Amino acid sequence: MDASFRLPRLTRRRFLAGAAALPMIARAASAWPDGKPIVWVVPYPAGGSTDVLGRSIAQQLGLQSSMKVIVENRPGATGTIGASFVARSAPDGLTLLGTSIGPQAIAPHLMGKLNYDPIGSFAPITTVGTIPHILVVGARQPYKSVGELVAAALAAPGRIAFASGGTGTILHMQGELLQKQTGAKFIHVPYKGDTPALQDTLSEQVQFMFAPAAAALPYVQSGALRALAVTSAERLPELPDTPTMTQEGFKDFVVVQWQAVFAPAATPAPVIQSLNTAIDKALKAPAVADLAGKLGITLVGGTPHELDALRRADYEKWGRLIREAGIKA
């Protein structure tokens, strides 16, 4: 540094204070979690796939790394209550958010002003897994392809209904995306959860639904539902004869429901990396893999950077659709 250069007094004081704090931050990060329990917040009620899989991962973290992990359910407001709690928590790596696409990429565009930023308030850790969806119709419905379903809707606007687990869910968004891409006009019938929506699709109270693969597969395989297409990038091994939406001619219709883990923003990078390594190791445990298979979840893992790119892309994609379609909560 040139001898004639002098930092302004205030700037120099801040610089020296920051420099002094760096070793303290490094020591704190290296000592983490220092025997303290980690709280894994699930922003949904107990018993759902995000909760059940999160508990399995938490158990593996305890077995494989001696971390004590407590799963805490903070449900409500489409997952945003739990997300808000974690966003306000100390960035020390002791409070995590095990969540899904809804509260991070969809709900913020529908619920007005939230007290957290879905991007800026969270540090990504890892993608837990993805859930593909199947466009299904009742067995007695006449539609044998997505093209036939769309053609019928175009011929009779507002006469064909689709079910979802609620306004603003990823299942709802796919119906809206299909409308936007085709110009068809469907009736959206929201339910309080995926299960009642699927039941009314089975009983043909509504004509179709984008359903989670694990929930729909038994009914497709028994012949109670007909699968018209899957929303994954590739055909599902369980349904080798069912095309993807892309193969049916729909662009930008690869849609998966992801689950992921986040920490409060400003959590030290070494802590984020330690959590990433530990959770990715837990995802490889046979018990976690077996449970994920039963839930219809494809385990992913990967880097914080990959999760960051995924959440940003979906935040922009669904926000644009919500604005252009004028969707309201």
Side-chain angles (χ1 to χ4, degrees), residues 60-121:
Q60 287 300 318
L61 290 175
L63 292 172
Q64 297 181 4
S65 62
S66 299
M67 294 180 188
K68 182 179 180 182
V69 183
I70 301 169
V71 177
E72 184 175 298
N73 298 90
R74 288 181 173 266
T78 319
T80 60
I81 289 176
S84 176
F85 174 81
V86 174
R88 298 195 309 269
S89 299
D92 54 11
L94 298 178
T95 306
L96 309 179
L97 179 65
T99 189
S100 68
I101 186 174
Q104 304 306 115
I106 298 172
H109 300 289
L110 290 168
M111 301 187 68
K113 186 172 178 59
L114 297 171
N115 56 5
Y116 67 88
D117 181 331
I119 302 296
S121 296

Side-chain angles (χ1 to χ4, degrees), residues 199-262:
Q199 289 302 316
D200 268 13
T201 306
L202 278 162
S203 63
E204 307 200 25
Q205 301 300 309
V206 293
Q207 280 69 47
F208 75 98
M209 175 185 179
F210 286 92
L217 268 172
Y219 299 106
V220 172
Q221 292 167 337
S222 71
L225 290 174
R226 182 182 305 119
L228 302 187
V230 297
T231 66
S232 47
E234 305 292 338
R235 296 191 182 203
L236 300 183
E238 299 86 350
L239 297 174
D241 297 327
T242 302
T244 67
M245 290 294 289
T246 302
Q247 290 170 334
E248 284 286 273
F250 297 91
K251 296 180 179 179
D252 195 27
F253 217 117
V254 176
V255 179
V256 291
Q257 178 179 342
W258 46 260
Q259 295 182 9
V261 187
F262 298 89

Side-chain angles (χ1 to χ4, degrees), residues 26-307:
R27 286 197 299 272
S30 64
W32 171 91
D34 197 23
K36 298 175 183 176
I38 297 169
V39 177
W40 181 298
V41 175
V42 176
Y44 304 109
S49 63
T50 308
D51 173 72
V52 171
L53 189 58
R55 290 178 186 276
S56 181
I57 296 169
Q59 183 181 38
Q60 287 300 318
L61 290 175
L63 292 172
Q64 297 181 4
S65 62
S66 299
M67 294 180 188
K68 182 179 180 182
V69 183
I70 301 169
V71 177
E72 184 175 298
N73 298 90
R74 288 181 173 266
T78 319
T80 60
I81 289 176
S84 176
F85 174 81
V86 174
R88 298 195 309 269
S89 299
D92 54 11
L94 298 178
T95 306
L96 309 179
L97 179 65
T99 189
S100 68
I101 186 174
Q104 304 306 115
I106 298 172
H109 300 289
L110 290 168
M111 301 187 68
K113 186 172 178 59
L114 297 171
N115 56 5
Y116 67 88
D117 181 331
I119 302 296
S121 296
F122 301 96
I125 298 175
T126 192
T127 306
V128 170
T130 59
I131 303 173
H133 298 105
I134 308 172
L135 197 172
V136 293
V137 299
R140 293 184 298 274
Q141 295 292 331
Y143 319 112
K144 301 298 192 298
S145 68
V146 184
E148 288 185 11
L149 175 66
V150 169
L154 290 170
R159 297 291 299 275
I160 293 177
F162 74 96
S164 82
T167 300
T169 61
I170 189 63
L171 308 185
H172 172 206
M173 291 297 103
Q174 290 170 97
E176 296 287 351
L177 183 59
L178 185 60
Q179 288 194 121
K180 182 176 182 295
Q181 288 198 6
T182 63
K185 298 298 180 185
F186 302 112
I187 301 171
H188 172 225
V189 184
Y191 291 80
K192 292 183 178 179
D194 298 352
T195 299
L198 189 60
Q199 289 302 316
D200 268 13
T201 306
L202 278 162
S203 63
E204 307 200 25
Q205 301 300 309
V206 293
Q207 280 69 47
F208 75 98
M209 175 185 179
F210 286 92
L217 268 172
Y219 299 106
V220 172
Q221 292 167 337
S222 71
L225 290 174
R226 182 182 305 119
L228 302 187
V230 297
T231 66
S232 47
E234 305 292 338
R235 296 191 182 203
L236 300 183
E238 299 86 350
L239 297 174
D241 297 327
T242 302
T244 67
M245 290 294 289
T246 302
Q247 290 170 334
E248 284 286 273
F250 297 91
K251 296 180 179 179
D252 195 27
F253 217 117
V254 176
V255 179
V256 291
Q257 178 179 342
W258 46 260
Q259 295 182 9
V261 187
F262 298 89
T267 299
V271 173
I272 294 293
Q273 188 54 55
S274 294
L275 283 164
N276 175 273
T277 300
I279 295 172
D280 278 8
K281 181 180 178 182
L283 294 179
K284 295 178 175 64
V288 175
D290 290 346
L291 177 60
K294 293 175 182 176
L295 295 171
I297 298 172
T298 301
L299 296 175
V300 176
T303 67
H305 177 74
E306 289 167 335
L307 172 55

